[in-house]
Every structure is written in structure tokens, then in C-alpha cells.
Amino acid sequence: MSLHDDAVLVLKAYEGQEELRQVYLDHLSVRPDAMWKSCGAGHLTASALVIDPSRGRVLLTLHRKLRMWLQMGGHCEPGDSTLAEAALREALEESGVEGLTLLPGGPVRLDRHAIPAPCHWHLDVQYAALAPADAAPAISDESLDLRWFAYDEVAEVADDSVVRLLEAARARL
């Protein structure tokens, strides 16, 4: 099964955000390149909010290009066989935390946001990743900083999309 086919199956199974989910499915149906950064009309991305539920905190990255506190995530790569695998790979690469596991039940949210040219849209499929108790983060080249934030601090540093992702992830914990 291709990554494209996996994305269709994941989105068909996803419950909630019906209008946005349909935008993703429509995009996948007309764009065979919808999974790749080269798709200038917009492409799917995969992200994961790293959560430490035992301490009531999340790990956010200060994105080097956007200079915003965000969850870990990014573009799908040819070696990714599933969206979940892409989200987990991105979370490991950007956080340095070994032993992350995705919260069961598939994606937590969807988020469509405009990005600078040459691409126009990221259609982000958002997961939550549980951090092990001994999580030891390490800043990657894609980040200016990496920091744990208490749940109630996230709204002070991150935009509404991260706050909504945290709320949805906490509801599923």
C-alpha cells in the first residue's frame, strides 16, 4: 500500500471535522502528488504533539523558519509507509526523544494552514505522541529551541492550532 492510499484510509476512518476531512479527501482524489512537498497546490504533512501526561506537560519546538512554538512535524518522505510513521519519525527527529509512542486511535486533529510560496497549503494530519518518563529532548537543526511547557502555559506561547491540538489530545488521554 502506498502512503497516498494509507492517507485516504486514515482520513476515511477519521471521525470529526467533517468539512475539513472532505477537503483532504478531495485533494487526495485529484492530486496524485498530494503527499509531497513538490505539490504546489498544497500537500499533506504529518505532525505529533509530544506529551508527558504524568507531568502534565508538552514538548514544543521553536521552529527555525517560522519562529513559532509548534508541535513536531513536517513533510512526508519517500521512506514513510504510513502517515503515523511519518508523524512519529518527525517527532523523533525534531525532539530527540527515544521511545515515543503514538496515542492510540489515529490522528487527533486536522489543521489546514497557509504557508509561503512556492507551496500554498499544509494539510496537516496531527497525532499525539506519548513521551517516556525518562525523556531526554535534544534540539535539532530545524529548531531554535525545544522546551517543556505545562498544559496551562501553552496558550501563552503557541497559536490556537497548537492549543486545539492539545485540547483534543488531552480529551483522548
Side-chain angles (χ1 to χ4, degrees), residues 4-155:
H4 189 279
D5 293 341
D6 172 74
V8 171
L9 290 175
V10 166
L11 290 163
K12 284 184 175 181
Y14 178 76
E15 294 181 6
Q17 298 179 270
E18 183 55 36
E19 281 184 45
L20 189 54
R21 182 179 76 89
Q22 194 58 53
V23 167
Y24 283 45
L25 288 168
D26 291 347
H27 188 68
L28 285 163
S29 73
V30 298
R31 297 299 308 225
D33 59 346
M35 301 305 302
W36 312 118
K37 185 177 181 178
S38 60
C39 182
H43 48 271
L44 272 71
T45 55
S47 67
L49 180 66
V50 175
I51 301 177
D52 179 353
S54 66
R55 294 185 179 151
R57 61 187 188 165
V58 298
L59 186 64
L60 298 178
T61 181
L62 183 57
H63 194 277
R64 183 171 296 281
K65 291 180 184 174
L66 300 176
R67 301 197 185 283
M68 296 171 61
W69 288 103
L70 299 169
Q71 74 275 12
M72 314 310 152
H75 297 104
C76 296
E77 295 181 3
D80 297 326
S81 57
T82 66
L83 280 172
E85 183 180 292
L88 199 55
R89 175 188 49 75
E90 285 286 342
L92 172 59
E93 287 176 1
E94 293 183 12
S95 73
V97 175
E98 298 286 341
L100 293 172
T101 58
L102 291 182
L103 191 62
V108 175
R109 279 192 51 79
L110 305 176
D111 186 73
R112 179 180 186 239
H113 48 271
I115 57 170
C119 302
H120 298 291
W121 295 100
H122 273 178
L123 300 140
D124 196 30
V125 180
Q126 301 177 324
Y127 293 81
L130 302 175
D134 60 349
I139 297 174
S140 76
D141 293 342
E142 296 179 38
S143 178
L144 294 172
D145 197 2
L146 194 61
R147 192 177 310 162
W148 289 106
F149 292 94
Y151 293 157
D152 62 359
E153 296 174 325
V154 173

Side-chain angles (χ1 to χ4, degrees), residues 148-170:
W148 289 106
F149 292 94
Y151 293 157
D152 62 359
E153 296 174 325
V154 173
E156 298 169 20
V157 298
D159 71 7
D160 289 342
S161 70
V162 179
V163 172
R164 287 189 299 268
L165 176 56
L166 174 58
E167 289 169 354
R170 288 184 69 193

